[in-house]
Amino acid sequence: MTKAWSILPDEWKPILADRGLRPFRADQILQSLYRDYIMRWDDATTLPKDLRETLKTEFPITVFDIRETKTSADGTKKLLVGFADGQCVETVLIPAAGRFTQCLSTQVGCAMGCAFCASGAHGVARSLSSDEIVAEYMAGRAHGEITNIVVMGMGEPFANYDETLRALKLINAGRGPNLGARHITISTCGVVPGIERLASEGIQFELSVSLHAPDDELRSSLMPVNRRWPTDSLLEACAAYTRATKRVITFEYTVIAGVNDSRACAEALARQVRRVPQAKVNLIPLSPVQHRPDFRTPDERTMLMFLDVLMKNHVQTMLRRSRGKDADAACGQLRLRHQAAGAC
Ligand code: SAH
């Protein structure tokens, strides 16, 4: 039994042929799935009934439900998407001028254990399958046409590489939802083999790398992944990636008051980032998380100082604002609240 949303558009014809089904049915199936966006095979009314029955048993459409929807004052929506086994993940919808960005999760929880992140506060329950990641997208597009995807929700995409890439390739496919590869950003906490693999895919997805500290001592204290792949090996992999793909890498730097927010940190960050050709930096003020009350959001002055130091060092830098704070949109918080209430 293969889930319909895990099958890439080009795979349908051979799969149908194997079962003695006529190839033109593949076009009808794709129309139903990705033009009509059916959620149940019964709604694929262009298909004969017996074929619908076959599809139901052999290629079921993933069942999901929306456990909760939260809308924040800035228009950001956060959905809690539940799956058949009761597990659930968050997906966030972020409207901005001319854009409608969806933030996707790839795992239930996260094993990476970054100190400031709510998603990893209780480890990982399981990884999502590709069809479940596509289901999140389907849940999102019910709220409007998605123009951009960022894989910055719960989980580490490169700890679930195959399923994540399959889902993104499906969403990108011309005869699928057809979302442009350059509108899809994968964010990793620094899993070097994943960066190397992505470089060899020959696909134009955007890559973000969560750096958050300029040196090994500080980075390891915030992000255990740094002990496995220290800063030097990470930056070397990033430089190799930009050289091989000619693509930009964006480094994410979450600024935490009194932890990684000194001028010396900013200067060291600029030096590190400049080792990678075509690198950019996104500066993000920390969103407070319940399990670390000692981690606080920096003030505006600190953010501007960071920006200033990076710009003076010719590093292309963007100041990002946190969105959807009043919807618990900061990385895993809505699910934690649900868990605490015994809901999933
Ligand atoms: N595992 C991937 C993607 C998920 S996290 C990664 O680490 O990149 C998406 C981004 O949110 C990462 O840059 C992460 O470090 C950041 N983040 C996590 N918790 C945060 C918090 N409390 N405040 C601000 N940014 C946070």
Side-chain angles (χ1 to χ4, degrees):
M1 193 181 70
T2 312
K3 294 288 171 63
W5 285 337
S6 72
I7 301 172
L8 296 175
D10 289 343
E11 293 170 344
W12 273 104
K13 269 189 188 150
I15 285 179
L16 292 180
D18 280 351
R19 285 168 173 73
L21 291 163
R22 318 246 298 278
F24 78 94
R25 296 289 184 203
D27 299 319
Q28 290 179 314
I29 287 171
L30 289 171
Q31 288 268 343
S32 296
L33 288 174
Y34 305 122
R35 294 295 170 267
D36 302 338
Y37 287 103
I38 57 159
M39 297 280 179
R40 308 167 329 145
W41 283 120
D42 281 333
D43 296 334
T45 45
T46 51
L47 301 175
K49 190 150 188 318
D50 59 334
L51 177 56
R52 293 206 301 258
E53 293 305 320
T54 308
L55 292 168
K56 266 193 231 171
T57 48
E58 298 212 21
F59 309 104
I61 295 179
T62 307
V63 174
F64 66 90
D65 61 301
I66 307 300
R67 303 262 161 93
E68 190 172 333
T69 304
K70 274 200 163 192
T71 308
S72 69
D74 64 12
T76 301
K77 276 188 195 158
K78 184 158 204 166
L79 315 180
L80 200 60
V81 182
F83 298 110
D85 67 349
Q87 296 288 1
C88 61
V89 294
E90 304 172 0
T91 182
V92 183
L93 297 160
I94 310 152
R99 287 185 175 204
F100 193 46
T101 302
Q102 183 175 19
C103 178
L104 290 178
S105 295
T106 55
Q107 298 183 299
V108 181
C110 185
M112 308 314 288
C114 298
F116 46 83
C117 179
S119 297
H122 298 304
V124 67
R126 67 172 175 87
S127 288
L128 295 187
S129 52
S130 56
D131 58 292
E132 289 174 324
I133 299 170
V134 173
E136 280 182 77
Y137 169 76
M138 295 298 174
R141 69 170 300 290
H143 292 258
E145 194 194 329
I146 307 295
T147 63
N148 296 75
I149 281 179
V150 293
V151 184
M152 296 186 181
M154 294 161 53
E156 166 50 43
F158 290 162
N160 185 22
Y161 188 97
D162 292 324
E163 298 296 315
T164 299
L165 264 283
R166 174 164 280 270
L168 297 179
K169 283 177 185 172
L170 191 151
I171 293 167
N172 168 238
R175 295 200 304 151
N178 196 22
L179 181 67
R182 290 174 181 205
H183 295 220
I184 297 176
T185 302
I186 304 175
S187 181
T188 178
C189 65
V191 176
V192 164
I195 296 171
E196 291 166 349
R197 252 182 105 178
L198 189 67
S200 67
E201 293 268 349
I203 197 158
Q204 309 242 307
F205 295 142
E206 302 288 332
L207 179 62
S208 276
V209 173
S210 300
L211 201 55
H212 306 324
D215 63 72
D216 281 329
E217 198 186 337
L218 185 54
R219 196 163 187 272
S220 291
S221 75
L222 294 172
M223 305 176 74
V225 67
N226 192 69
R227 293 186 205 122
R228 180 87 190 272
W229 294 288
T231 320
D232 275 346
S233 65
L234 174 59
L235 293 172
E236 274 161 32
C238 291
Y241 174 92
T242 58
R243 278 196 299 269
T245 61
K246 308 275 180 276
R247 304 201 54 75
V248 172
I249 283 187
T250 304
F251 288 104
E252 309 285 334
Y253 194 98
T254 295
V255 185
I256 310 171
V259 173
N260 64 353
D261 67 343
S262 66
R263 179 171 287 273
C265 278
E267 281 162 358
L269 174 65
R271 279 195 299 278
Q272 293 287 41
V273 165
R274 288 182 58 184
R275 292 163 62 181
V276 178
Q278 314 223 60
K280 294 201 274 189
V281 169
N282 275 343
L283 292 176
I284 311 139
L286 175 88
S287 291
V289 284
Q290 243 170 16
H291 71 289
R292 286 301 295 256
D294 54 322
F295 281 172
R296 289 186 323 280
T297 309
D299 58 24
E300 187 78 14
R301 258 189 32 226
T302 307
M303 296 302 290
L304 293 175
M305 178 277 288
F306 246 80
L307 179 67
D308 187 56
V309 169
L310 288 166
M311 302 281 267
K312 285 204 171 110
N313 282 281
H314 311 287
V315 177
Q316 205 182 319
T317 308
M318 294 270 281
L319 262 188
R320 298 279 177 187
R321 317 255 146 215
S322 278
R323 300 280 309 266
K325 272 194 190 148
D326 51 337
D328 287 329
C331 318
Q333 298 196 77
L334 183 61
R335 175 171 165 269
L336 282 190
R337 202 163 301 231
H338 254 249
Q339 258 182 345
C344 67

